[in-house]
Amino acid sequence: MAARLAAAPAMAAMFTLTAAGGASAAPAAPAAASSGVTNIPVLSYHQLDNGCAKTDALCDPAGSPAAKALSRMSTSQLAGADGLSAAAPAPGTDIDSLSQTQFGAELAWLKAQGYHSVTLAQYLSWDTGKAVTLPSKPILITVDDGIEDFYADGTSVLQKYGFTAVAFVVTQFADGATAGAQPYVGWDATWKQLQALPRSTWSFAFHAGAQGHSVTYPDNPGCTYFYPCQLPTETAAQYEARVSGEVGAGRLELNQYLPVNDNFWAVPWNAIGQPSQPVSGTDPPVWLAPWAANVFKVVFVQDPDRSDVSHERYRLEVHGDMSLADFESNLLGNTTNGFFNK
């Protein structure tokens, strides 16, 4: 998991950003920008109440199957722990699920510490050095995949504590749920359910299209995912056409159903061709990240070592075994280490 270090509290004031500020590499403290805003933490969530009661303090307490699975994962595996498929995991085995009480405790702590949500537009202006008014202690909360339980149980929690969130949507999952197809129906949100979410709480961006968040190639040795895996039978041109075509079609479909900020991409499984994650073929390591930076202004990953790579920015992925103390120390430690700096 990410480093767990203490950090000094940020000043509570309104800032107006007028120029881009430089940031030193972790772990040294960053040089402050003229506005005083050197970082915006970004959190990544997935599910609520899968395999645990809504009132449980921890969805995955020590000794649970999911907690044991987490304890066996390396740092790079944790960074890529973004759900394995569209299907609901067996109860009590999913590392990405929090309880409603657990999520509420985290938001209550954020509110008590003076954090305030920002929109994707505000984040992009800050990241690109444009003038933008930011609240004190800005933070961006994101929720991946479009799994319905988070919307059902998490919306009221967000509203209670005055936060907003970004839903990174997988069109394959919404299509399947809308069609009543397995394994999506009853697990993923339909397009109608996504459209019914309150716009005062939720905004939307692209996560994956028709294949990008599936274990698409189970027989491809060492690399079963869609985006970072060039098949042995594919030329570089064929691989690039497959990936760019899927992303392009997915973005078009998403825009047909929802108001979308097209400047952002949350990469499934944190796999963008880097050697710490599954990758195959000679083209993905040299093509995928630069292509993504050309298409999107911000590309979110869970790998802090890549926060200074082109347009890539780090998100802290929150897991169900994190106590409130773990959550606090991870967030503050990541902030101190400069992981959220631009």
PDB file of all heavy atoms in Angstrom, residues 3 5-7 23-31 304-305 332-341:
ATOM      1  N   ALA A   3       2.547   4.816   1.228  1.00  0.00           N
ATOM      2  CA  ALA A   3       3.225   5.152   2.475  1.00  0.00           C
ATOM      3  C   ALA A   3       2.252   5.747   3.474  1.00  0.00           C
ATOM      4  O   ALA A   3       1.335   6.481   3.114  1.00  0.00           O
ATOM      5  CB  ALA A   3       4.348   6.142   2.183  1.00  0.00           C
ATOM      6  N   LEU A   5       2.358   8.205   6.397  1.00  0.00           N
ATOM      7  CA  LEU A   5       3.136   9.192   7.106  1.00  0.00           C
ATOM      8  C   LEU A   5       2.244  10.332   7.540  1.00  0.00           C
ATOM      9  O   LEU A   5       1.243  10.628   6.909  1.00  0.00           O
ATOM     10  CB  LEU A   5       4.262   9.746   6.208  1.00  0.00           C
ATOM     11  CG  LEU A   5       5.253   8.719   5.656  1.00  0.00           C
ATOM     12  CD1 LEU A   5       6.175   9.389   4.659  1.00  0.00           C
ATOM     13  CD2 LEU A   5       6.068   8.108   6.782  1.00  0.00           C
ATOM     14  N   ALA A   6       2.628  11.010   8.587  1.00  0.00           N
ATOM     15  CA  ALA A   6       1.856  12.147   9.056  1.00  0.00           C
ATOM     16  C   ALA A   6       2.166  13.366   8.212  1.00  0.00           C
ATOM     17  O   ALA A   6       3.222  13.481   7.611  1.00  0.00           O
ATOM     18  CB  ALA A   6       2.177  12.435  10.529  1.00  0.00           C
ATOM     19  N   ALA A   7       1.221  14.315   8.192  1.00  0.00           N
ATOM     20  CA  ALA A   7       1.420  15.526   7.424  1.00  0.00           C
ATOM     21  C   ALA A   7       0.871  16.704   8.203  1.00  0.00           C
ATOM     22  O   ALA A   7      -0.068  16.582   8.977  1.00  0.00           O
ATOM     23  CB  ALA A   7       0.727  15.437   6.076  1.00  0.00           C
ATOM     24  N   ALA A  23       6.467  21.464  -8.842  1.00  0.00           N
ATOM     25  CA  ALA A  23       6.402  20.537  -7.722  1.00  0.00           C
ATOM     26  C   ALA A  23       7.622  19.639  -7.759  1.00  0.00           C
ATOM     27  O   ALA A  23       7.983  19.102  -8.793  1.00  0.00           O
ATOM     28  CB  ALA A  23       5.143  19.688  -7.791  1.00  0.00           C
ATOM     29  N   SER A  24       8.284  19.524  -6.632  1.00  0.00           N
ATOM     30  CA  SER A  24       9.459  18.669  -6.571  1.00  0.00           C
ATOM     31  C   SER A  24       9.049  17.225  -6.456  1.00  0.00           C
ATOM     32  O   SER A  24       7.929  16.915  -6.065  1.00  0.00           O
ATOM     33  CB  SER A  24      10.323  19.063  -5.365  1.00  0.00           C
ATOM     34  OG  SER A  24       9.594  18.878  -4.178  1.00  0.00           O
ATOM     35  N   ALA A  25       9.920  16.330  -6.790  1.00  0.00           N
ATOM     36  CA  ALA A  25       9.620  14.905  -6.749  1.00  0.00           C
ATOM     37  C   ALA A  25       9.550  14.424  -5.310  1.00  0.00           C
ATOM     38  O   ALA A  25      10.215  14.939  -4.433  1.00  0.00           O
ATOM     39  CB  ALA A  25      10.692  14.130  -7.508  1.00  0.00           C
ATOM     40  N   ALA A  26       8.726  13.417  -5.054  1.00  0.00           N
ATOM     41  CA  ALA A  26       8.645  12.803  -3.736  1.00  0.00           C
ATOM     42  C   ALA A  26      10.000  12.147  -3.426  1.00  0.00           C
ATOM     43  O   ALA A  26      10.696  11.686  -4.318  1.00  0.00           O
ATOM     44  CB  ALA A  26       7.526  11.764  -3.710  1.00  0.00           C
ATOM     45  N   PRO A  27      10.420  12.145  -2.140  1.00  0.00           N
ATOM     46  CA  PRO A  27       9.633  12.548  -0.986  1.00  0.00           C
ATOM     47  C   PRO A  27       9.892  13.956  -0.519  1.00  0.00           C
ATOM     48  O   PRO A  27       9.389  14.361   0.514  1.00  0.00           O
ATOM     49  CB  PRO A  27      10.090  11.539   0.076  1.00  0.00           C
ATOM     50  CG  PRO A  27      11.529  11.312  -0.265  1.00  0.00           C
ATOM     51  CD  PRO A  27      11.624  11.394  -1.770  1.00  0.00           C
ATOM     52  N   ALA A  28      10.665  14.766  -1.232  1.00  0.00           N
ATOM     53  CA  ALA A  28      10.940  16.116  -0.795  1.00  0.00           C
ATOM     54  C   ALA A  28       9.671  16.959  -0.846  1.00  0.00           C
ATOM     55  O   ALA A  28       8.794  16.751  -1.680  1.00  0.00           O
ATOM     56  CB  ALA A  28      12.011  16.746  -1.694  1.00  0.00           C
ATOM     57  N   ALA A  29       9.554  17.952   0.053  1.00  0.00           N
ATOM     58  CA  ALA A  29       8.389  18.812   0.072  1.00  0.00           C
ATOM     59  C   ALA A  29       8.375  19.684  -1.174  1.00  0.00           C
ATOM     60  O   ALA A  29       9.413  20.174  -1.613  1.00  0.00           O
ATOM     61  CB  ALA A  29       8.410  19.693   1.331  1.00  0.00           C
ATOM     62  N   PRO A  30       7.193  19.904  -1.765  1.00  0.00           N
ATOM     63  CA  PRO A  30       7.123  20.678  -2.998  1.00  0.00           C
ATOM     64  C   PRO A  30       7.310  22.168  -2.750  1.00  0.00           C
ATOM     65  O   PRO A  30       7.020  22.676  -1.669  1.00  0.00           O
ATOM     66  CB  PRO A  30       5.710  20.387  -3.500  1.00  0.00           C
ATOM     67  CG  PRO A  30       4.930  20.134  -2.262  1.00  0.00           C
ATOM     68  CD  PRO A  30       5.877  19.413  -1.335  1.00  0.00           C
ATOM     69  N   ALA A  31       7.782  22.867  -3.771  1.00  0.00           N
ATOM     70  CA  ALA A  31       7.830  24.312  -3.717  1.00  0.00           C
ATOM     71  C   ALA A  31       6.422  24.841  -3.924  1.00  0.00           C
ATOM     72  O   ALA A  31       5.715  24.419  -4.832  1.00  0.00           O
ATOM     73  CB  ALA A  31       8.763  24.844  -4.799  1.00  0.00           C
ATOM     74  N   PRO A 304       2.005   6.047  -7.967  1.00  0.00           N
ATOM     75  CA  PRO A 304       2.601   7.358  -7.685  1.00  0.00           C
ATOM     76  C   PRO A 304       3.900   7.613  -8.426  1.00  0.00           C
ATOM     77  O   PRO A 304       4.281   8.764  -8.620  1.00  0.00           O
ATOM     78  CB  PRO A 304       2.824   7.326  -6.170  1.00  0.00           C
ATOM     79  CG  PRO A 304       2.882   5.875  -5.820  1.00  0.00           C
ATOM     80  CD  PRO A 304       1.950   5.196  -6.770  1.00  0.00           C
ATOM     81  N   ASP A 305       4.576   6.555  -8.851  1.00  0.00           N
ATOM     82  CA  ASP A 305       5.826   6.743  -9.589  1.00  0.00           C
ATOM     83  C   ASP A 305       5.589   7.340 -10.964  1.00  0.00           C
ATOM     84  O   ASP A 305       6.547   7.765 -11.622  1.00  0.00           O
ATOM     85  CB  ASP A 305       6.562   5.405  -9.733  1.00  0.00           C
ATOM     86  CG  ASP A 305       7.061   4.878  -8.403  1.00  0.00           C
ATOM     87  OD1 ASP A 305       7.280   5.701  -7.490  1.00  0.00           O
ATOM     88  OD2 ASP A 305       7.221   3.652  -8.270  1.00  0.00           O
ATOM     89  N   LEU A 332      -2.704  11.498   4.211  1.00  0.00           N
ATOM     90  CA  LEU A 332      -1.744  12.511   4.651  1.00  0.00           C
ATOM     91  C   LEU A 332      -0.327  12.160   4.210  1.00  0.00           C
ATOM     92  O   LEU A 332       0.453  13.032   3.815  1.00  0.00           O
ATOM     93  CB  LEU A 332      -1.815  12.665   6.168  1.00  0.00           C
ATOM     94  CG  LEU A 332      -3.140  13.194   6.715  1.00  0.00           C
ATOM     95  CD1 LEU A 332      -3.123  13.224   8.231  1.00  0.00           C
ATOM     96  CD2 LEU A 332      -3.466  14.578   6.153  1.00  0.00           C
ATOM     97  N   GLY A 333       0.009  10.858   4.277  1.00  0.00           N
ATOM     98  CA  GLY A 333       1.334  10.455   3.840  1.00  0.00           C
ATOM     99  C   GLY A 333       1.549  10.661   2.360  1.00  0.00           C
ATOM    100  O   GLY A 333       2.609  11.135   1.910  1.00  0.00           O
ATOM    101  N   ASN A 334       0.536  10.302   1.552  1.00  0.00           N
ATOM    102  CA  ASN A 334       0.624  10.519   0.103  1.00  0.00           C
ATOM    103  C   ASN A 334       0.755  11.998  -0.210  1.00  0.00           C
ATOM    104  O   ASN A 334       1.487  12.386  -1.136  1.00  0.00           O
ATOM    105  CB  ASN A 334      -0.607   9.957  -0.586  1.00  0.00           C
ATOM    106  CG  ASN A 334      -0.606   8.448  -0.730  1.00  0.00           C
ATOM    107  OD1 ASN A 334      -1.417   7.889  -1.453  1.00  0.00           O
ATOM    108  ND2 ASN A 334       0.289   7.761  -0.048  1.00  0.00           N
ATOM    109  N   THR A 335       0.059  12.834   0.549  1.00  0.00           N
ATOM    110  CA  THR A 335       0.136  14.276   0.333  1.00  0.00           C
ATOM    111  C   THR A 335       1.529  14.802   0.663  1.00  0.00           C
ATOM    112  O   THR A 335       2.121  15.554  -0.111  1.00  0.00           O
ATOM    113  CB  THR A 335      -0.930  14.991   1.173  1.00  0.00           C
ATOM    114  OG1 THR A 335      -2.234  14.492   0.849  1.00  0.00           O
ATOM    115  CG2 THR A 335      -0.891  16.483   0.924  1.00  0.00           C
ATOM    116  N   THR A 336       2.055  14.386   1.807  1.00  0.00           N
ATOM    117  CA  THR A 336       3.389  14.815   2.208  1.00  0.00           C
ATOM    118  C   THR A 336       4.438  14.383   1.200  1.00  0.00           C
ATOM    119  O   THR A 336       5.378  15.125   0.894  1.00  0.00           O
ATOM    120  CB  THR A 336       3.735  14.217   3.586  1.00  0.00           C
ATOM    121  OG1 THR A 336       2.833  14.749   4.562  1.00  0.00           O
ATOM    122  CG2 THR A 336       5.160  14.571   3.995  1.00  0.00           C
ATOM    123  N   ASN A 337       4.282  13.200   0.651  1.00  0.00           N
ATOM    124  CA  ASN A 337       5.260  12.673  -0.306  1.00  0.00           C
ATOM    125  C   ASN A 337       5.131  13.305  -1.688  1.00  0.00           C
ATOM    126  O   ASN A 337       5.904  12.964  -2.591  1.00  0.00           O
ATOM    127  CB  ASN A 337       5.101  11.160  -0.417  1.00  0.00           C
ATOM    128  CG  ASN A 337       5.672  10.444   0.786  1.00  0.00           C
ATOM    129  OD1 ASN A 337       6.462  10.990   1.532  1.00  0.00           O
ATOM    130  ND2 ASN A 337       5.249   9.202   0.993  1.00  0.00           N
ATOM    131  N   GLY A 338       4.163  14.174  -1.880  1.00  0.00           N
ATOM    132  CA  GLY A 338       4.044  14.869  -3.149  1.00  0.00           C
ATOM    133  C   GLY A 338       3.347  14.084  -4.232  1.00  0.00           C
ATOM    134  O   GLY A 338       3.411  14.459  -5.403  1.00  0.00           O
ATOM    135  N   PHE A 339       2.640  13.007  -3.871  1.00  0.00           N
ATOM    136  CA  PHE A 339       2.011  12.166  -4.891  1.00  0.00           C
ATOM    137  C   PHE A 339       0.883  12.887  -5.629  1.00  0.00           C
ATOM    138  O   PHE A 339       0.553  12.524  -6.760  1.00  0.00           O
ATOM    139  CB  PHE A 339       1.459  10.888  -4.271  1.00  0.00           C
ATOM    140  CG  PHE A 339       2.507   9.957  -3.714  1.00  0.00           C
ATOM    141  CD1 PHE A 339       2.143   8.902  -2.883  1.00  0.00           C
ATOM    142  CD2 PHE A 339       3.857  10.127  -4.020  1.00  0.00           C
ATOM    143  CE1 PHE A 339       3.099   8.030  -2.367  1.00  0.00           C
ATOM    144  CE2 PHE A 339       4.814   9.254  -3.517  1.00  0.00           C
ATOM    145  CZ  PHE A 339       4.440   8.209  -2.691  1.00  0.00           C
ATOM    146  N   PHE A 340       0.257  13.863  -4.979  1.00  0.00           N
ATOM    147  CA  PHE A 340      -0.869  14.571  -5.586  1.00  0.00           C
ATOM    148  C   PHE A 340      -0.461  15.896  -6.223  1.00  0.00           C
ATOM    149  O   PHE A 340      -1.322  16.667  -6.652  1.00  0.00           O
ATOM    150  CB  PHE A 340      -1.971  14.826  -4.547  1.00  0.00           C
ATOM    151  CG  PHE A 340      -2.506  13.574  -3.919  1.00  0.00           C
ATOM    152  CD1 PHE A 340      -2.352  13.349  -2.551  1.00  0.00           C
ATOM    153  CD2 PHE A 340      -3.170  12.621  -4.666  1.00  0.00           C
ATOM    154  CE1 PHE A 340      -2.860  12.215  -1.952  1.00  0.00           C
ATOM    155  CE2 PHE A 340      -3.676  11.467  -4.067  1.00  0.00           C
ATOM    156  CZ  PHE A 340      -3.530  11.264  -2.714  1.00  0.00           C
ATOM    157  N   ASN A 341       0.834  16.175  -6.260  1.00  0.00           N
ATOM    158  CA  ASN A 341       1.289  17.404  -6.898  1.00  0.00           C
ATOM    159  C   ASN A 341       1.154  17.292  -8.409  1.00  0.00           C
ATOM    160  O   ASN A 341       1.189  16.203  -8.974  1.00  0.00           O
ATOM    161  CB  ASN A 341       2.759  17.668  -6.567  1.00  0.00           C
ATOM    162  CG  ASN A 341       2.980  17.907  -5.086  1.00  0.00           C
ATOM    163  OD1 ASN A 341       2.030  18.156  -4.348  1.00  0.00           O
ATOM    164  ND2 ASN A 341       4.222  17.817  -4.650  1.00  0.00           N
TER     165      ASN A 341
END
